[in-house]
Amino acid sequence: MDTILLWSAWIVTAILLLIFINRKNLMQAILSFLFMQVPSWLFGALVVEGGLIEYPVGILQMAYKASFTFEFFILPAVSAIFNVYFPKQKSWLIKTIYTLSFPTVITIVEVILETHTELIKYIHWTWYLSYITLTITLLISYWFYLWFFKKIKEKYQ
């Protein structure tokens, strides 16, 4: 069952990318996706090697002990959607709600998976550490996104 959930996550994430990312914002999405793989991999490797989280079932378990699915596909895809649709022109309240909604949903799903599957096991970890690291990495990705496209705009205008 866990393997089916894992592959279902790949399919659902791919569908979400197809729905939310169009040609107009493809370059921004690709940049966000690729950038997020770096902090995601780093945090994932640190928590697994530090003995804080374990992933008993996963893809590429022999080569990579952390969650390949989450760190190299799901979180980068979420970051792409997050960055492309960030409500830049809205109030700070809307921006805050938007920013906090993404890690909230991911953390809720993670806690459900941790409780009911073998996809993730907290050893010396808690849901609020996931929430904090997700929020920080999404914000880092968004700040990079803003910086990068500001530099591109300055160079070509």
Side-chain angles (χ1 to χ4, degrees), residues 36-107:
M36 181 53 90
Q37 288 179 331
V38 175
S40 181
W41 168 81
L42 179 61
F43 283 129
L46 288 173
V47 298
V48 168
E49 294 301 322
L52 304 175
I53 292 179
E54 186 178 277
Y55 297 95
V57 176
I59 296 172
L60 301 177
Q61 284 298 112
M62 296 299 289
Y64 188 65
K65 294 179 184 178
S67 175
F68 180 82
T69 298
F70 183 73
E71 291 161 17
F72 286 97
F73 190 59
I74 294 174
L75 188 55
V78 168
S79 174
I81 294 166
F82 177 85
N83 290 346
V84 166
Y85 288 98
F86 193 89
K88 295 177 190 118
Q89 307 304 320
K90 301 291 183 179
S91 71
W92 67 269
L93 179 62
I94 298 298
K95 290 177 186 176
T96 302
I97 291 169
Y98 181 87
T99 300
L100 298 178
S101 66
F102 280 75
T104 298
V105 170
I106 295 169
T107 302

Side-chain angles (χ1 to χ4, degrees), residues 103 107 125-138:
T107 302
W125 194 257
T126 61
W127 66 268
Y128 60 85
L129 291 172
S130 287
Y131 186 82
I132 291 166
T133 57
L134 285 166
T135 304
I136 290 169
T137 54
L138 283 171

